[in-house]
Amino acid sequence: MQSYGMLIDGRMVNTAEQDPVINPAFGEPFATCARGTKEHVNQAVDAAANAYKTWRKDEAFRRQKLNECAAALQAKVNDIAPVLSQEQGKPVNQAMMEIFGASMWFSYFASLEIQPEILQDDGAKRIQVVRKPLGVVAAITPWNFPVILLSWKLAPAFLAGNTVVAKPSPFTPLSTLMAAEALREVLPAGVLNVLSGGNDLGAELTRHPEIRKISFTGSVATGKKVMLAAADDLKRVTLELGGNDAAIVLDDVNPDEVAEGLFWGAFQNSGQVCAAIKRLYVPEQLHDSIVAKLVDRAKRTKVGNGMEPDVELGPINNDMQFQKVLGLVDDAKKSGGKIEVGGERMGSKGYFLPPTIVTGLGAGAKLVDEEQFGTALPIIKYKHLSDALEQANRTHYGLGGSVWSSNPDRAEEVAREFESGTVWVNQHIDLSPLQPFGGHKWSGIGVENGKWGYNEFTQVQVVDTKRA
């Protein structure tokens, strides 16, 4: 069984103590990785702090290195993608797309224009607002998109002049460690350090006095713990947390035209997307037609081991999440919901639940009120659009949402009523490096991506020069 090491100060470091990594298609370990300790945290942070002294000084050099990072990931895509598929569960072609996406994020930030803001420039004064790096950043990433979400943090952090200590989820550490090994070939030692281990290691990292910012993507519960840990030292935080995203179909749509988009908006990556459609509201007169279209698409979807050809959906990533989704589906049955398709575990090995569509539920049902993060979608009938909007916003979450209509202008008016960081019209989960992404309410603090995401890794300094 292959073992994977951590990146500390430009060296790949392995340990005698190893953690198994489970392939969710079989529910069995297929590799191991190093188990980091508090001492490894100290070594990594010290290396990052030392590298920061010179890394922060040359922006042109950093931009060159970001382009080299993009090329390094592309060169290793055929090596990393199969490992990502095996540890996360997603089909290998989607794993390849994730790595190419990470490369694109590095390329985007390599060319992002950053100019000082001039507030006054005359004979008396020149007042500039400049952005400076924060120092050593902790980047903590989740298990659903481990490589691309790492790039969301690394690329802007590096451009700003910060150095980084990253920690992936213990469920999916291997692709991150492989990406780190590729990037160490182009980055100066200490600029990037990657540690693997359990949640206790993340706690050590967030508490470390040399860490000046924490960029975290994960659950609301853990995000609150990160914020508490940061408070004592007044560390800066960016928190991208969960979502219970609603999609509202308006009464003028053609079900044939929206069914495919709705299906993949809900079930992409086996529903393990923070901004996926988690609740679908449809008007009474279109309910049966849309349900039928989605059920048909679900039945035609190939579910299986992501390493097999033509698989569209893989397993749920881990047993804990699998049991949660099964529990929500079981509660839906007990609450009067009708299972239109799916609803039962597939096979005896691995964590497979085929696309499951449930009708007959409303507010108060756990599958509607809680974030399922898996292959189960409640479809909720509504009579008045105002009721659908009220239900969509009646949640602690506020990450994303979408509106579907044959009239985009009308849909955009409805979209503005959503209490969420992003609202899509006639699409869902369409993201790019140039647009900010973040949540309202419990779905997060701060944003990632674009110039706004870059700003999150900087601190403002005013340079006020008297000339006369």
Side-chain angles (χ1 to χ4, degrees):
M1 195 174 290
Q2 187 170 350
S3 174
Y4 295 75
M6 304 178 289
L7 175 62
I8 301 177
D9 201 15
R11 296 177 296 109
M12 300 308 295
V13 177
N14 219 322
T15 59
E17 295 289 328
Q18 296 279 302
D19 288 322
V21 181
I22 305 297
N23 182 332
F26 301 100
E28 298 172 350
F30 76 103
T32 65
C33 68
R35 182 182 299 172
T37 65
K38 181 178 180 179
E39 181 56 31
H40 292 120
V41 171
N42 292 334
Q43 292 171 7
V45 174
D46 287 347
N50 187 56
Y52 174 69
K53 296 173 185 177
T54 52
W55 176 251
R56 64 185 175 87
K57 292 182 178 180
D58 190 340
E59 181 181 315
F61 178 70
R62 296 196 301 271
R63 290 181 183 275
Q64 173 192 332
K65 290 301 173 183
L66 285 175
N67 278 320
E68 291 177 11
C69 285
L73 287 177
Q74 288 195 28
K76 293 292 184 179
V77 67
N78 289 326
D79 297 326
I80 301 173
V83 175
L84 173 55
S85 177
Q86 289 175 84
E87 68 174 350
Q88 201 283 327
K90 66 185 62 182
V92 69
N93 64 319
Q94 295 176 26
M96 294 180 73
M97 290 173 59
E98 178 174 340
I99 297 159
F100 280 123
S103 173
M104 182 175 70
W105 251 256
F106 278 106
S107 296
Y108 167 80
F109 280 99
S111 60
L112 179 65
E113 291 188 12
I114 305 296
Q115 299 292 338
E117 296 178 59
I118 309 300
L119 304 184
Q120 181 179 338
D121 191 4
D122 53 28
K125 272 194 172 187
R126 177 179 172 86
I127 305 175
Q128 303 177 68
V129 177
V130 298
R131 291 192 172 271
K132 303 187 68 174
L134 294 161
V136 181
V137 171
I140 303 176
T141 52
W143 47 258
N144 57 338
F145 291 96
V147 179
I148 195 168
L149 292 181
L150 178 68
S151 75
W152 285 24
K153 303 177 189 304
L154 296 187
F158 287 164
L159 175 60
N162 304 286
T163 54
V164 177
V165 180
K167 183 200 171 294
S169 163
F171 293 117
T172 55
L174 305 184
S175 53
T176 301
L177 296 174
M178 293 182 74
E181 189 167 11
L183 297 180
R184 78 166 179 149
E185 299 299 323
V186 301
L187 291 171
V191 170
L192 171 63
N193 306 269
V194 179
L195 304 173
S196 53
N199 294 330
D200 58 327
L201 200 69
E204 290 289 349
L205 185 58
T206 57
R207 287 194 297 260
H208 197 288
E210 287 288 331
I211 297 293
R212 295 312 317 145
K213 176 184 174 67
I214 305 164
S215 180
F216 171 82
T217 302
S219 70
V220 171
T222 305
K224 290 179 179 180
K225 293 178 182 177
V226 168
M227 196 166 183
L228 283 171
D232 189 56
D233 196 31
L234 294 179
K235 302 180 194 298
R236 306 303 190 256
V237 295
T238 298
L239 304 176
E240 198 269 278
L241 308 177
N244 192 13
D245 292 19
I248 297 179
V249 174
L250 301 189
D251 57 10
D252 58 6
V253 303
N254 181 338
D256 288 326
E257 294 177 356
V258 300
E260 191 78 5
L262 290 171
F263 183 84
W264 289 112
F267 293 110
Q268 180 187 144
N269 201 39
S270 296
Q272 299 165 120
V273 185
C274 54
I277 297 173
K278 310 283 181 25
R279 300 172 288 153
L280 177 58
Y281 294 91
V282 299
E284 287 181 339
Q285 62 269 39
L286 294 177
H287 176 269
D288 292 351
S289 178
I290 286 177
V291 169
K293 297 291 182 185
L294 294 178
V295 166
D296 175 69
R297 186 61 181 87
K299 290 178 177 178
R300 292 186 285 110
T301 302
K302 184 172 180 180
V303 180
N305 180 355
M307 296 294 289
E308 295 177 357
D310 302 322
V311 166
E312 295 176 280
L313 293 179
I316 304 296
N317 173 257
N318 57 81
D319 185 56
M320 179 176 65
Q321 185 62 29
F322 184 53
Q323 297 303 327
K324 176 183 177 181
V325 179
L326 289 178
L328 289 172
V329 172
D330 185 58
D331 181 80
K333 297 174 184 176
K334 295 175 181 176
S335 301
K338 179 183 177 184
I339 306 298
E340 300 285 351
V341 67
E344 299 292 338
R345 178 175 189 162
M346 190 179 86
S348 58
K349 285 188 175 182
Y351 312 132
F352 291 100
L353 178 69
T356 297
I357 293 172
V358 186
T359 59
L361 297 177
K366 288 184 178 180
L367 186 60
V368 175
D369 293 351
E370 300 179 15
E371 180 186 23
Q372 64 272 49
F373 216 70
T375 41
L377 175 69
I379 300 181
I380 302 137
K381 188 185 302 184
Y382 74 86
K383 181 179 292 187
H384 303 292
L385 178 58
S386 59
D387 293 336
L389 274 169
E390 183 182 353
Q391 291 183 63
N393 289 330
R394 191 189 299 147
T395 173
H396 285 302
Y397 296 102
L399 191 58
S402 59
V403 183
W404 302 73
S405 171
S406 62
N407 183 337
D409 292 334
R410 178 191 176 204
E412 189 170 310
E413 289 183 11
V414 176
R416 293 179 187 278
E417 298 300 315
F418 273 63
E419 297 172 358
S420 60
T422 302
V423 191
W424 292 278
V425 172
N426 293 331
Q427 57 184 343
H428 203 97
I429 325 177
D430 187 24
L431 300 170
S432 77
L434 59 84
Q435 66 192 70
F437 181 74
H440 295 184
K441 298 184 277 190
W442 281 13
S443 286
I445 293 175
V447 298
E448 298 189 281
N449 303 330
K451 64 182 180 181
W452 303 269
Y454 166 84
N455 288 345
E456 296 274 344
F457 288 98
T458 68
Q459 52 193 349
V460 169
Q461 183 180 63
V462 177
V463 180
D464 186 341
T465 303
K466 182 178 179 182
R467 287 179 167 170

